[in-house]
Coordinates of all heavy atoms in Angstrom, one line a residue:
A432 N 22.2 -21.3 35.2 CA 21.3 -22.0 34.3 C 20.5 -21.1 33.5 O 20.2 -21.4 32.3 CB 20.4 -22.9 35.1
A433 N 20.2 -19.9 34.0 CA 19.4 -18.9 33.2 C 20.3 -17.9 32.5 O 19.7 -17.1 31.7 CB 18.4 -18.2 34.1
A434 N 21.6 -18.0 32.6 CA 22.5 -17.0 32.0 C 22.9 -17.4 30.6 O 22.8 -18.6 30.2 CB 23.7 -16.8 32.9
A435 N 23.3 -16.4 29.9 CA 23.9 -16.6 28.5 C 24.9 -15.5 28.3 O 24.9 -14.4 28.9 CB 22.8 -16.6 27.5
G436 N 25.8 -15.8 27.3 CA 26.9 -14.8 27.0 C 28.0 -14.9 28.0 O 28.2 -16.0 28.6
E437 N 28.7 -13.8 28.2 CA 29.8 -13.8 29.2 C 29.3 -13.6 30.6 O 28.5 -12.7 30.8 CB 30.8 -12.7 28.8 CG 32.1 -12.8 29.7 CD 33.2 -12.0 29.2 OE1 33.7 -12.3 28.1 OE2 33.7 -11.1 29.9
V438 N 29.7 -14.4 31.5 CA 29.3 -14.3 32.9 C 30.6 -14.3 33.8 O 31.6 -14.8 33.4 CB 28.4 -15.5 33.4 CG1 27.1 -15.4 32.6 CG2 29.0 -16.8 33.2
T439 N 30.4 -13.7 35.0 CA 31.5 -13.7 36.0 C 30.9 -14.3 37.3 O 29.9 -13.9 37.7 CB 32.0 -12.3 36.2 OG1 32.5 -11.8 35.0 CG2 33.1 -12.3 37.2
L440 N 31.6 -15.3 37.8 CA 31.3 -15.9 39.1 C 32.4 -15.6 40.1 O 33.5 -15.9 39.9 CB 31.1 -17.4 38.9 CG 30.9 -18.3 40.1 CD1 29.5 -17.9 40.7 CD2 31.0 -19.7 39.8
S441 N 32.0 -14.9 41.2 CA 33.0 -14.6 42.2 C 32.6 -15.4 43.4 O 31.5 -15.4 43.9 CB 32.9 -13.1 42.6 OG 33.3 -12.3 41.5
I442 N 33.6 -16.1 43.9 CA 33.5 -17.0 45.1 C 34.3 -16.4 46.2 O 35.5 -16.2 46.0 CB 33.9 -18.4 44.8 CG1 33.1 -18.9 43.6 CG2 33.7 -19.3 46.0 CD1 33.6 -20.2 43.0
T443 N 33.7 -16.2 47.4 CA 34.5 -15.7 48.5 C 35.0 -16.8 49.3 O 34.6 -18.0 49.2 CB 33.6 -14.8 49.4 OG1 32.6 -15.6 50.0 CG2 32.9 -13.7 48.6
E444 N 36.0 -16.5 50.2 CA 36.5 -17.4 51.1 C 35.5 -18.0 52.0 O 35.5 -19.2 52.3 CB 37.7 -16.8 52.0 CG 38.9 -16.4 51.2 CD 39.9 -15.6 51.9 OE1 39.6 -15.0 52.9 OE2 41.1 -15.7 51.5
A445 N 34.6 -17.2 52.5 CA 33.5 -17.7 53.4 C 32.6 -18.6 52.7 O 32.2 -19.7 53.2 CB 32.7 -16.5 54.0
E446 N 32.3 -18.4 51.4 CA 31.4 -19.3 50.6 C 32.1 -20.6 50.4 O 31.5 -21.7 50.6 CB 31.0 -18.6 49.3 CG 30.1 -17.5 49.4 CD 29.9 -16.7 48.1 OE1 30.8 -16.7 47.3 OE2 28.8 -16.1 48.0
M447 N 33.4 -20.6 50.0 CA 34.1 -21.8 49.7 C 34.3 -22.6 51.0 O 34.1 -23.8 51.0 CB 35.4 -21.6 49.1 CG 36.2 -22.8 48.7 SD 35.3 -23.9 47.6 CE 35.6 -23.1 46.0
T448 N 34.7 -22.0 52.1 CA 34.9 -22.6 53.4 C 33.6 -23.3 53.9 O 33.6 -24.5 54.3 CB 35.4 -21.7 54.4 OG1 36.7 -21.2 54.0 CG2 35.5 -22.3 55.8
S449 N 32.5 -22.6 53.8 CA 31.2 -23.1 54.3 C 30.7 -24.2 53.4 O 30.2 -25.2 53.9 CB 30.2 -21.9 54.3 OG 30.6 -21.0 55.3
Y450 N 30.9 -24.1 52.1 CA 30.5 -25.1 51.1 C 31.3 -26.4 51.4 O 30.7 -27.5 51.5 CB 30.7 -24.7 49.7 CG 30.3 -25.7 48.7 CD1 29.0 -25.9 48.3 CD2 31.3 -26.5 48.1 CE1 28.6 -26.8 47.4 CE2 30.9 -27.4 47.1 CZ 29.6 -27.6 46.8 OH 29.2 -28.6 45.9
L451 N 32.6 -26.3 51.6 CA 33.5 -27.4 51.9 C 33.0 -28.1 53.2 O 33.0 -29.3 53.3 CB 34.9 -27.0 51.9 CG 35.6 -26.7 50.6 CD1 37.0 -26.1 50.8 CD2 35.6 -27.9 49.7
A452 N 32.8 -27.3 54.2 CA 32.4 -27.8 55.5 C 31.1 -28.6 55.4 O 30.9 -29.7 56.0 CB 32.2 -26.7 56.5
Q453 N 30.1 -28.0 54.6 CA 28.9 -28.7 54.3 C 29.1 -30.1 53.6 O 28.5 -31.1 54.0 CB 28.0 -27.8 53.5 CG 26.6 -28.3 53.2 CD 25.8 -27.3 52.4 OE1 26.2 -27.1 51.2 NE2 24.8 -26.7 53.0
Q454 N 30.0 -30.1 52.6 CA 30.2 -31.3 51.9 C 31.0 -32.3 52.8 O 30.6 -33.5 52.8 CB 31.1 -31.0 50.7 CG 30.4 -30.2 49.6 CD 29.1 -30.8 49.1 OE1 29.1 -31.9 48.7 NE2 28.0 -30.0 49.2
L455 N 31.9 -31.9 53.6 CA 32.7 -32.8 54.5 C 31.8 -33.3 55.6 O 32.1 -34.4 56.1 CB 33.9 -32.0 55.0 CG 35.0 -31.6 54.0 CD1 36.1 -30.8 54.7 CD2 35.6 -32.9 53.3
S456 N 30.7 -32.6 55.9 CA 29.9 -33.1 57.0 C 29.2 -34.4 56.6 O 28.6 -35.1 57.5 CB 28.9 -32.1 57.4 OG 27.9 -31.9 56.4
Q457 N 29.2 -34.7 55.3 CA 28.5 -35.9 54.8 C 29.4 -37.1 54.6 O 29.1 -38.2 54.1 CB 27.8 -35.6 53.5 CG 26.8 -34.5 53.6 CD 26.3 -34.0 52.3 OE1 26.5 -34.6 51.2 NE2 25.8 -32.8 52.3
Q458 N 30.7 -37.0 55.1 CA 31.7 -38.0 54.9 C 31.4 -39.3 55.8 O 30.8 -39.1 56.8 CB 33.1 -37.6 55.4 CG 33.7 -36.4 54.6 CD 35.0 -36.0 55.3 OE1 36.0 -36.5 54.9 NE2 34.9 -35.2 56.2
T459 N 31.8 -40.4 55.3 CA 31.7 -41.6 56.0 C 33.1 -42.3 55.9 O 33.8 -42.0 55.0 CB 30.6 -42.6 55.5 OG1 30.9 -42.9 54.2 CG2 29.2 -41.9 55.6
G460 N 33.3 -43.2 56.8 CA 34.6 -43.9 56.8 C 35.5 -43.6 58.0 O 35.2 -42.8 58.8
D461 N 36.6 -44.3 58.0 CA 37.5 -44.2 59.2 C 38.3 -42.9 59.1 O 38.7 -42.4 60.2 CB 38.5 -45.4 59.2 CG 37.8 -46.7 59.6 OD1 36.7 -46.6 60.2 OD2 38.4 -47.7 59.4
V462 N 38.6 -42.4 57.9 CA 39.5 -41.2 57.8 C 38.6 -40.1 57.3 O 37.9 -40.2 56.3 CB 40.6 -41.5 56.8 CG1 41.5 -40.2 56.7 CG2 41.5 -42.6 57.3
T463 N 38.5 -39.0 58.0 CA 37.7 -37.9 57.6 C 38.5 -36.6 57.7 O 39.5 -36.5 58.4 CB 36.5 -37.7 58.6 OG1 36.9 -37.5 59.9 CG2 35.6 -38.9 58.5
L464 N 38.0 -35.6 56.9 CA 38.5 -34.2 57.0 C 37.5 -33.4 57.7 O 36.3 -33.5 57.5 CB 38.7 -33.7 55.6 CG 39.9 -34.3 54.7 CD1 39.8 -33.7 53.3 CD2 41.2 -34.0 55.3
T465 N 38.0 -32.5 58.6 CA 37.1 -31.6 59.3 C 37.8 -30.2 59.3 O 38.9 -30.0 59.0 CB 36.9 -32.1 60.8 OG1 38.2 -32.0 61.5 CG2 36.3 -33.5 60.8
D466 N 37.0 -29.3 59.8 CA 37.4 -27.9 60.0 C 38.1 -27.3 58.8 O 39.2 -26.7 59.0 CB 38.4 -27.8 61.2 CG 37.7 -28.4 62.5 OD1 36.5 -28.3 62.7 OD2 38.5 -29.1 63.3
P467 N 37.5 -27.3 57.6 CA 38.2 -26.7 56.5 C 38.3 -25.2 56.6 O 37.4 -24.6 57.2 CB 37.3 -27.1 55.3 CG 36.0 -27.2 55.9 CD 36.2 -27.8 57.3
Q468 N 39.3 -24.6 56.0 CA 39.5 -23.2 55.9 C 40.1 -22.9 54.6 O 41.2 -23.4 54.3 CB 40.4 -22.6 57.0 CG 39.8 -22.7 58.4 CD 38.7 -21.7 58.7 OE1 39.0 -20.5 58.7 NE2 37.5 -22.1 58.8
A469 N 39.4 -22.3 53.7 CA 39.8 -22.0 52.3 C 40.2 -20.5 52.2 O 39.3 -19.7 52.3 CB 38.8 -22.4 51.3
Y470 N 41.4 -20.3 51.8 CA 41.9 -18.9 51.7 C 42.3 -18.7 50.2 O 43.0 -19.5 49.7 CB 43.1 -18.6 52.6 CG 42.7 -18.7 54.1 CD1 43.0 -19.9 54.7 CD2 42.1 -17.7 54.8 CE1 42.7 -20.1 56.1 CE2 41.8 -17.8 56.1 CZ 42.1 -19.0 56.8 OH 41.8 -19.2 58.1
F471 N 41.9 -17.6 49.6 CA 42.3 -17.2 48.3 C 43.3 -16.1 48.4 O 42.9 -14.9 48.5 CB 41.0 -16.7 47.5 CG 40.0 -17.8 47.3 CD1 38.6 -17.5 47.6 CD2 40.3 -19.1 46.9 CE1 37.7 -18.5 47.4 CE2 39.3 -20.0 46.7 CZ 38.0 -19.7 47.0
R472 N 44.5 -16.4 48.4 CA 45.6 -15.5 48.6 C 46.8 -15.8 47.6 O 47.1 -16.9 47.3 CB 46.2 -15.5 50.0 CG 45.1 -15.5 51.1 CD 44.5 -14.1 51.3 NE 43.3 -14.2 52.2 CZ 43.3 -13.9 53.5 NH1 44.5 -13.6 54.1 NH2 42.2 -13.9 54.1
D473 N 47.5 -14.7 47.3 CA 48.8 -14.9 46.5 C 48.6 -15.7 45.2 O 49.5 -16.5 44.9 CB 49.9 -15.5 47.4 CG 50.1 -14.7 48.7 OD1 50.0 -13.5 48.6 OD2 50.2 -15.4 49.7
G474 N 47.4 -15.6 44.6 CA 47.2 -16.4 43.3 C 46.9 -17.8 43.5 O 46.9 -18.6 42.6
R475 N 46.7 -18.3 44.8 CA 46.5 -19.7 45.1 C 45.4 -19.9 46.1 O 45.0 -19.0 46.8 CB 47.8 -20.3 45.7 CG 49.1 -20.1 45.0 CD 49.3 -21.1 43.9 NE 50.5 -20.9 43.3 CZ 50.8 -20.1 42.3 NH1 49.9 -19.3 41.8 NH2 52.0 -20.1 41.7
M476 N 44.8 -21.1 46.1 CA 43.9 -21.4 47.2 C 44.7 -22.2 48.2 O 45.4 -23.2 47.8 CB 42.7 -22.3 46.7 CG 41.8 -22.6 47.8 SD 40.2 -23.3 47.4 CE 40.6 -24.9 46.9

């Protein structure tokens, strides 16, 4: 929000996995996703 010009954002596997776990912990309903693991390998997530 405070940046301007060219910026670079680097996201690690631990950050993405933890963020997804945090978001998934708020799910409601009969079908849920748990235990996410996000790997950034071979040009793919």
Side-chain angles (χ1 to χ4, degrees):
E437 187 167 299
V438 296
T439 300
L440 175 65
S441 294
I442 303 170
T443 67
E444 292 173 336
E446 289 170 332
M447 182 60 79
T448 296
S449 297
Y450 180 80
L451 289 172
Q453 185 180 67
Q454 296 302 306
L455 293 174
S456 70
Q457 301 168 19
Q458 296 175 94
T459 58
D461 287 344
V462 179
T463 59
L464 289 174
T465 64
D466 306 324
Q468 293 284 292
Y470 299 96
F471 298 131
R472 312 285 169 95
D473 307 320
R475 310 276 183 275
M476 179 166 78

